Amino acid sequence: MIDLSQLRLEPGAERSVEVPVAVPQLELGGVEYAGPLSPPIARLDVTRTLSGLLFRLRLQTTITGPCHRCLEPASVPVQIDAREYQADHPEPGLEAEEVCDYLQGEELDAGSWAADAIVLSMPHKILCKEDCQGLCPSCGTDLNIGSCQCPPPEPDSRWGALQQLKDDAPEG
Ligand SMILES: [Zn+2]
Ligand SMILES: [Zn+2]
């Protein structure tokens, strides 16, 4: 929580504060992901305009959790640059644009804002690497580490022919 009354926001004023925000556990596709143990430092800019308050929140952090394909630990860098506006006198019907949901009286809940922004910025799938081979659907072997003897789920004759050529090639 940031107490705006401490920022002395007279008209035209622009203030920047650095604030640690604890990244909460996130759930993506039923799997839990977490931020770093030590809260990353977010930068909050507050500008007092003639008609209201402009907020800008910037943050860089890393989210870690199991790879979507192979379940090994994976991490993704996350970069947030979010803006909110709170009008002094929001017009009826324009609350979505003119009311900042994270503002309660003089207090801005930067933690909740950061958490929501992180969720929005997350990729659809978190992978340990772009070309992760995942697990064999039949036996669970991590195909990044080794192959298994399971028949491919959908046999492809061209692939089989290629594999045959490879197998017949002399070693070395
Ligand atoms: Zn993986
Ligand atoms: Zn297998």
Side-chain angles (χ1 to χ4, degrees):
M1 284 287 188
I2 293 166
D3 187 353
L4 299 177
S5 63
Q6 307 232 311
L7 297 180
R8 299 189 313 282
L9 291 159
E10 62 269 19
E14 214 180 313
R15 301 274 182 267
S16 279
V17 284
E18 298 206 321
V19 50
V21 288
V23 180
Q25 289 247 314
L26 313 167
E27 205 190 294
L28 290 177
V31 182
E32 300 257 291
Y33 291 86
L37 284 179
S38 57
I41 305 293
R43 183 193 158 121
L44 175 74
D45 300 327
V46 186
T47 308
R48 183 102 195 66
T49 69
L50 288 175
S51 55
L53 287 168
L54 269 174
F55 303 103
R56 184 180 186 190
L57 186 74
R58 278 174 283 182
L59 169 68
Q60 277 184 40
T61 187
T62 306
I63 300 294
T64 54
C67 169
H68 183 82
R69 289 186 193 145
C70 74
L71 307 179
E72 287 296 310
S75 64
V76 279
V78 167
Q79 207 160 354
I80 302 301
D81 187 347
R83 288 158 207 263
E84 283 280 333
Y85 176 63
Q86 173 66 51
D88 293 333
H89 307 288
E91 277 192 47
L94 289 179
E95 284 85 359
E97 293 89 47
E98 300 196 339
V99 173
C100 171
D101 293 334
Y102 307 105
L103 194 62
Q104 290 152 22
E106 291 280 288
E107 298 211 311
L108 181 73
D109 187 352
S112 296
W113 185 8
D116 287 350
I118 289 170
V119 171
L120 287 177
S121 77
M122 293 293 278
H124 187 57
K125 287 175 183 170
I126 290 179
L127 299 176
C128 62
K129 55 184 185 232
E130 200 59 45
D131 61 346
C132 173
Q133 301 297 305
L135 305 178
C136 169
S138 306
C139 71
T141 294
D142 185 343
L143 300 176
N144 296 305
I145 296 171
S147 52
C148 59
Q149 302 303 314
C150 301
E154 284 170 52
D156 183 322
S157 56
R158 285 171 305 157
W159 172 251
L162 201 70
Q163 199 61 42
Q164 196 59 47
L165 281 175
K166 252 168 118 184
D167 289 345
D168 289 348
E171 296 268 325

